[in-house]
Amino acid sequence: MNGGEGMYKLLIIEDDYGIANAIKEQAESWNLETHIVENFRNVLTEFADFQPHIILLDISLPFFNGYHWCSEIRKISKVPIIFISSAADNMNIVMAMNMGADDFISKPFDRSVLTAKIQAMLRRCYDFSENVPVIEHRGAFLNTSDNTLTYNDEKISLTKNEYRILLCLMENKNVVVSRERLMERLWETDSFVDENTLTVNVNRLRKKLDLAGLNDFITTKFGVGYIISEEIK
């Protein structure tokens, strides 16, 4: 893996903490950074915060099963997902693949097999491509692979300028971003942007967010710039 396995992050969605911690210990010996999901009511938030390169996902989980979370993650990300389950009959394997899984490993599994599967998946997915992060705020997910924002299962289409504005603000959550800095980000595209053009783009973006139910998503700090903060008006 070009000596870069330490860069990779593994998210474990498994409620049997004996199994989860055994996988974590093994994964860390391969120099993988790992995180075990704690809040099974809101897996997506931990997914977005951790930004994994690969996911191990059990079928039987509290509140919502693994199929549900596989489907939810697939709405916003193409990150590779490997199911791990003792329910390894053909129906469950087919269901997992139909939901967007990349592989299925039956419990109990041999650790060397799990190691080989994860390493093969990481090689296949990341040796020649960069990780594509998803940024989350207030239940809205910005996917940098297709420049779209997803909220309540609906994709909000963004222009190139709207996307760059939103990306810059979401990357700097709770920090005021100056109008000058936003214009510099927009200049990275193929056109020069002046003050009026920035104002038009921000206003148009706000209308799209409001229509989607994301009211007051962007706050204006007059004379300074804009901010996306954790506080909701």
Side-chain angles (χ1 to χ4, degrees):
M1 305 206 31
N2 299 331
E5 287 175 313
M7 299 185 301
Y8 297 120
K9 298 197 286 186
L10 168 67
L11 181 66
I12 303 169
I13 310 174
E14 164 65 74
D15 64 323
D16 184 326
Y17 286 104
I19 293 174
N21 282 308
I23 295 172
K24 178 180 172 72
E25 183 180 337
Q26 175 98 350
E28 288 177 346
S29 73
W30 318 324
N31 296 321
L32 288 174
E33 183 181 347
T34 63
H35 174 71
I36 300 171
V37 163
E38 297 174 355
N39 183 357
F40 290 98
R41 287 184 184 274
N42 195 1
V43 169
L44 281 187
T45 296
E46 291 192 44
F47 163 77
D49 288 344
F50 186 59
Q51 295 292 323
H53 296 84
I54 190 166
I55 295 172
L56 292 181
L57 174 61
D58 191 12
I59 294 177
S60 299
L61 297 168
F63 308 112
F64 303 97
N65 64 26
Y67 298 135
H68 169 81
W69 292 119
C70 183
S71 176
E72 290 299 297
I73 290 167
R74 276 292 166 264
K75 291 173 183 175
I76 58 173
S77 174
K78 296 177 181 177
V79 64
I81 298 172
I82 299 176
F83 268 88
I84 50 171
S85 177
S86 55
D89 56 89
N90 288 341
M91 186 182 74
N92 279 306
I93 294 172
V94 170
M95 176 77 79
M97 295 306 177
N98 286 341
M99 287 292 178
D102 297 277
D103 206 341
F104 195 109
I105 300 177
S106 302
K107 294 179 184 175
F109 46 76
D110 185 286
R111 289 193 184 187
S112 62
V113 172
L114 182 64
T115 304
K117 291 248 187 187
I118 291 175
Q119 289 178 338
M121 191 70 70
L122 289 172
R123 273 197 303 272
R124 191 154 67 243
C125 294
Y126 296 110
D127 263 8
F128 304 106
S129 62
E130 295 181 2
N131 180 39
V132 178
V134 177
I135 306 173
E136 184 270 344
H137 181 64
R138 281 174 53 186
F141 297 85
L142 186 67
N143 191 331
T144 61
S145 67
D146 59 7
N147 298 7
T148 60
L149 186 72
T150 304
Y151 181 67
N152 282 344
D153 295 340
E154 297 291 331
K155 280 201 172 186
I156 304 163
S157 63
L158 303 171
T159 66
K160 186 187 292 184
N161 282 349
E162 290 165 357
Y163 166 75
R164 283 182 176 266
I165 291 168
L166 195 55
L167 177 63
C168 186
L169 291 174
M170 290 182 74
E171 283 176 339
N172 295 278
K173 248 192 301 193
N174 300 315
V175 176
V176 178
V177 179
S178 69
R179 290 175 61 84
E180 290 76 16
R181 185 172 176 188
L182 283 174
M183 284 189 288
E184 286 173 6
R185 286 293 289 267
L186 297 184
W187 291 341
E188 292 171 7
T189 62
D190 50 6
S191 59
F192 177 81
V193 174
D194 59 18
E195 289 269 356
N196 290 334
T197 306
L198 176 62
T199 301
V200 169
N201 277 275
V202 170
N203 289 340
R204 191 169 55 204
L205 174 58
R206 274 184 162 146
K207 285 180 182 177
K208 287 185 179 181
L209 296 172
D210 287 345
L211 285 171
L214 290 165
N215 303 94
D216 301 318
F217 198 78
I218 300 171
T219 302
T220 301
K221 296 294 183 183
F222 291 101
V224 184
Y226 303 97
I227 185 173
I228 287 177
S229 65
E230 300 293 347
E231 296 180 6
I232 303 174
K233 291 181 181 179

